[in-house]
Amino acid sequence: MINIQNLHKTYSSERGDFEALRNITLTIQKGEIFGIIGLSGAGKSTLLRTLNRLEEPSSGNIFIEDTDITCLSTPELRKLRRHVGMIFQHFNLLTSRTVSQNVAFPLEIEKWSSDAISKRVTEMLDIVDLSDKAESYPSQLSGGQKQRVGIARALANNPSVLLCDEATSALDPKTTQSILSLLDEINRKLGITIVLVTHEMGVIRQICHRVAVLEQGEVVELGTVKDVFMKPQSKTAREFLSHLPRTTYDHEKLPHEAGKPVLTFSFNGETANHPVISQAIKQSGVEINILSGEIDHLHSSRIGNLTVQLSGTPSEINNALSFIQSKSVEVDVVWNG
Amino acid sequence: MDKILALTHLIASPTLETIYMVLFSTLFATLLGFPLGVALVVTEKGGLLENETIYRTLDSIVNICRSFPFIILMIVLFPLSRIIVGTTIGTTASIVPLSIGAAPFVGRVVESSLKEVEKGLVEAAVSMGTHPKDIILKVMIPEALPSLILGETLTIINIIGYSAMAGAIGGGGLGDLAIRYGFHRFQTDVLVAAVIVIILLVQVIQGAGNKIAQHVARHR
C-alpha cells in the first residue's frame, strides 16, 4: 500500500543542516492502522507529512499503491491528495462555513454536482454521528465534535489512506477514546488504511496494528503493537511504556464459570520475586489459570498484577487463598458465582 | 435661519461631489489594490505560491507609492488624468490620482488581513488537493472577510481625507469648498460646516463598517 524507501529529509539553515528524517524504509500494509510514535522533535509529524508531500522529501522514494509520489507534478500531486485524507491536531475547520459546508469542501473542489454533494454530506455526517449539527458553525462545537467533522471531511471523497497528525492530542481522555473508536470502526467498515502519529502510547495500544518508534529521525523499532509492548527494544519505547497507566480489565471478556472464581493478585516489592503461585498450587492442589498479568518497574521496585481463574473444591480454593494472603499478596475478587 | 438655508444650499452639491469621488475612487482603488494584496500574501516567503522576485518587486512598488505625499502624487499623475478623463480639473479628474494613491494602501490592508488567516486552514486545503485559486477564493478571503470589511472601511475614510486634499488643487468636493470659502474668503462658518459634514460622513461609514463586520463575524 505505502512503501517508503530510503527517505531523508534535511532542513538547511544558516546555522547548518538539520536531519529531520534519516534513511527511513518501511512498508504500510493495505487496511492496517499503522502508528508512528516518538518524542517531540523525533520527526514523526515530518514523516507523516511527507506521505502527501506537505513536506518535501530531500531524497528517497514513497510509493502509494504503485505511484511514486516523489516524482509527481503539481497537478498530479493535487489529484493524489484528493485521495489521501488528513486530519489535524487543531482540526483546521473553516470558521466561515457550517459543518455541512466544511464536509462539502473537498467535493466542491472536485466539482461534484450539488445534489451529489448534499447526498454525500448527509451520509458522512451520519457516519460520524453529527447529523443534528449540520447547520452549526465550528465555533459552536466541542473539540471532539470538531474532530468528527474533520474526519467526515477527510473521508468525503473516499480516500484510500487517512493520515492522522496528532489527531487526539488536543482532546481530553474520554473524547480521545470516542475518536479512536470511530477511527477503528472506519478502518474495519471501510477498509481504509490509517497512518497515525502520536506521542501517546495509549493511542497506539488502543487501535494500532503495527507501530514504528522514531528516535531522532530514525526508525529504531518496528513491529506489531503486541511485540513492542511485550518486548520493547528501544529506549524510547521502554520510556513510553513505563508512563502508561494500568490496563483496566474488560470484565466482559473474562470467563464466567460457576465455581471458578476470577481474582486479581497484586504483588509488590518483595513478593514480586517469590514463586508464590507455584507454591500455592503445590500446597492446596488447586488449579490456577492465568488470564492476564503484568509487571511494572517503578523506580527501584517492581510491582505486578495477575488476573487468574481458580478451579478446585471450595476447601482447596480457600486453602490456596489463605496461603497466598499469608505471603502478603493482596487479593481482589473480580468475579465469583 | 436664512443663513443656515444658504449654507445648506452651498454645501449640498460639494457633499455629493465628495461622495461621488470617494465612491468611485474606493471602487477603483480596491480593483487595483485587492489583487495586489493577494499577490503579496501568496508570493511571500512560505506563501502559497512563494516567489521572492515577484514579492520583492511588488513590495518595493507599494513602498515607493506610499512614500509619496498625496498632493505631490496628484501633480505627478496629472498627465495620466488627462489621458484617461481628458482633463486635470474637477471631481472626475481627481478620481484617477485618488484611486492610484489609495491602491497600495488597499494592498497593504488586504495583505495584513489575509495574513491573519490561520496557516493550518490553508494547509488543510492544500492537503485536500485544492487549487491555489480555490484556496484564495474559498478559504483565505472568506476566512478573512470581517477583517477585510474593516480594512475597506479604513480605506474609504482614508480616501475621504485624500479627497479633501484633491480639493486644494481643483478637485472639487468638500475640501475645495472649505478652502475656497473658509480659507480664501475668511468665511469660517462654511469651513466649519464642511468639516462637520466630513466628520458625519466618517462616523456613518465607520459605524456601518463595524456593524457589517460584526454581522459577518457573528455568523460563524
Side-chain angles (χ1 to χ4, degrees):
Chain A
M1 177 69 207
I2 302 176
N3 197 345
I4 304 169
Q5 290 172 352
N6 308 319
L7 184 70
H8 285 267
K9 170 74 189 180
T10 309
Y11 292 105
S12 301
S13 73
E14 288 144 26
R15 278 171 295 164
D17 290 353
F18 172 72
E19 277 195 292
L21 297 175
R22 300 172 206 220
N23 201 21
I24 291 186
T25 296
L26 56 87
T27 304
I28 296 168
Q29 308 295 338
K30 196 173 178 63
E32 83 174 329
I33 304 184
F34 189 88
I36 300 169
I37 194 166
L39 299 166
S40 322
K44 51 193 191 305
S45 270
T46 309
L47 174 57
L48 186 82
R49 293 155 54 91
T50 56
L51 300 182
N52 60 358
R53 275 178 58 192
L54 280 183
E55 206 71 71
E56 289 291 343
S58 303
S59 69
N61 302 87
I62 300 168
F63 294 88
I64 295 185
E65 272 155 351
D66 288 315
T67 318
D68 184 349
I69 67 158
T70 55
C71 347
L72 295 181
S73 66
T74 312
E76 286 170 332
L77 181 60
R78 275 203 289 274
K79 223 168 184 176
L80 169 98
R81 283 175 176 160
R82 292 179 186 176
H83 297 282
V84 177
M86 189 166 192
I87 57 174
F88 305 87
Q89 180 173 5
H90 298 295
F91 326 121
N92 296 350
L93 302 178
L94 298 171
T95 62
S96 54
R97 289 175 166 237
T98 61
V99 166
S100 49
Q101 288 167 339
N102 263 287
V103 179
F105 186 90
L107 308 176
E108 264 174 45
I109 61 165
E110 260 206 326
K111 309 244 181 315
W112 286 37
S113 74
S114 59
D115 284 352
I117 290 180
S118 72
K119 194 163 156 264
R120 183 64 177 159
V121 169
T122 314
E123 211 175 288
M124 290 318 299
L125 290 181
D126 194 46
I127 291 180
V128 299
D129 205 15
L130 276 179
S131 307
D132 55 328
K133 297 284 182 194
E135 299 314 313
S136 303
Y137 282 90
S139 61
Q140 299 162 315
L141 303 180
S142 70
Q145 289 170 328
K146 284 181 192 166
Q147 197 55 288
R148 283 168 186 271
V149 179
I151 293 171
R153 179 175 71 174
L155 299 179
N157 56 11
N158 292 310
S160 48
V161 187
L162 177 64
L163 307 177
C164 310
D165 192 0
E166 297 273 9
T168 59
S169 302
L171 302 174
D172 62 59
K174 205 176 151 214
T175 315
T176 297
Q177 291 295 316
S178 80
I179 294 295
L180 292 179
S181 325
L182 176 64
L183 290 175
D184 192 40
E185 188 186 321
I186 285 163
N187 168 260
R188 277 184 288 112
K189 282 192 184 158
L190 310 175
I192 292 174
T193 308
I194 297 180
V195 186
L196 66 84
V197 154
T198 182
H199 60 264
E200 295 167 297
M201 211 55 169
V203 170
I204 300 282
R205 176 175 64 184
Q206 196 180 337
I207 66 165
C208 290
H209 303 141
R210 288 197 307 143
V211 59
V213 182
L214 244 58
E215 228 172 73
Q216 290 174 340
E218 274 178 295
V219 175
V220 290
E221 195 161 350
L222 174 69
T224 64
V225 170
K226 203 176 116 201
D227 285 348
V228 173
F229 270 67
M230 278 169 54
K231 302 187 286 276
Q233 307 292 317
S234 61
K235 193 170 134 263
T236 305
R238 279 198 295 272
E239 264 171 28
F240 271 117
L241 286 168
S242 70
H243 297 307
L244 203 61
R246 277 274 136 70
T247 21
T248 46
Y249 298 110
D250 189 352
H251 285 231
E252 298 294 323
K253 288 183 182 158
L254 293 171
H256 292 183
E257 290 171 59
K260 296 182 177 177
V262 177
L263 308 160
T264 303
F265 298 155
S266 304
F267 303 86
N268 51 55
E270 279 283 276
T271 55
N273 298 322
H274 294 310
V276 180
I277 298 292
S278 70
Q279 286 172 357
I281 295 169
K282 283 177 194 155
Q283 292 222 346
S284 62
V286 79
E287 279 185 50
I288 299 183
N289 178 17
I290 296 174
L291 302 171
S292 77
E294 58 185 355
I295 295 178
D296 273 358
H297 298 259
L298 296 176
H299 220 47
S300 56
S301 71
R302 300 197 300 167
I303 58 165
N305 274 300
L306 213 51
T307 303
V308 299
Q309 184 187 36
L310 300 191
S311 49
T313 63
S315 68
E316 281 172 348
I317 290 175
N318 279 337
N319 283 340
L321 288 183
S322 43
F323 172 76
I324 287 168
Q325 279 166 327
S326 74
K327 297 289 178 189
S328 62
V329 171
E330 264 182 53
V331 178
D332 288 306
V333 179
V334 178
W335 184 86
N336 193 4
Chain B
M1 198 62 211
D2 276 357
K3 206 179 159 197
I4 293 180
L5 252 173
L7 257 182
T8 316
H9 193 71
L10 193 63
I11 217 165
S13 107
T15 304
L16 288 178
E17 280 172 16
T18 293
I19 292 172
Y20 164 79
M21 274 194 292
V22 170
L23 194 75
F24 281 93
S25 305
T26 305
L27 181 72
F28 293 125
T30 307
L31 287 178
L32 290 170
F34 202 97
L36 186 62
V38 171
L40 282 168
V41 173
V42 299
T43 57
E44 73 171 2
K45 199 167 157 47
L48 207 52
L49 301 167
E50 187 178 331
N51 186 320
E52 210 187 326
T53 320
I54 296 183
Y55 179 80
R56 285 215 174 154
T57 312
L58 293 177
D59 190 58
S60 317
I61 292 174
V62 168
N63 283 343
I64 292 167
C65 290
R66 293 200 61 203
S67 327
F68 266 90
F70 181 66
I71 203 138
I72 311 285
L73 188 74
M74 275 202 81
I75 296 165
V76 171
L77 289 175
F78 270 165
L80 191 65
S81 292
R82 199 187 301 281
I83 293 169
I84 297 174
V85 195
T87 174
T88 62
I89 296 175
T91 44
T92 308
S94 56
I95 289 174
V96 174
L98 278 175
S99 306
I100 293 173
F105 176 78
V106 175
R108 282 288 182 230
V109 168
V110 168
E111 181 192 16
S112 75
S113 292
L114 294 181
K115 264 188 182 173
E116 282 167 30
V117 174
E118 244 182 88
K119 284 262 183 285
L121 297 183
V122 174
E123 184 172 78
V126 171
S127 83
M128 286 185 262
T130 315
H131 193 278
K133 183 195 86 194
D134 283 335
I135 296 181
I136 294 165
L137 295 178
K138 288 170 179 270
V139 178
M140 292 168 67
I141 294 174
E143 287 296 317
L145 199 57
S147 163
L148 287 169
I149 290 168
L150 289 175
E152 194 66 10
T153 310
L154 202 63
T155 306
I156 298 174
I157 289 168
N158 232 335
I159 290 179
I160 292 177
Y162 284 172
S163 81
M165 270 187 259
I169 46 172
L174 287 167
D176 176 44
L177 180 81
I179 287 166
R180 272 193 292 131
Y181 285 78
F183 185 61
H184 293 146
R185 299 191 196 170
F186 303 105
Q187 291 187 10
T188 317
D189 51 349
V190 180
L191 180 81
V192 170
V195 170
I196 288 174
V197 174
I198 291 176
I199 290 173
L200 286 176
L201 276 178
V202 170
Q203 291 290 346
V204 167
I205 286 160
Q206 187 66 57
N210 289 348
K211 271 272 179 321
I212 298 170
Q214 267 171 25
H215 179 80
V216 172
R218 208 181 306 128
H219 283 268
R220 50 178 64 188

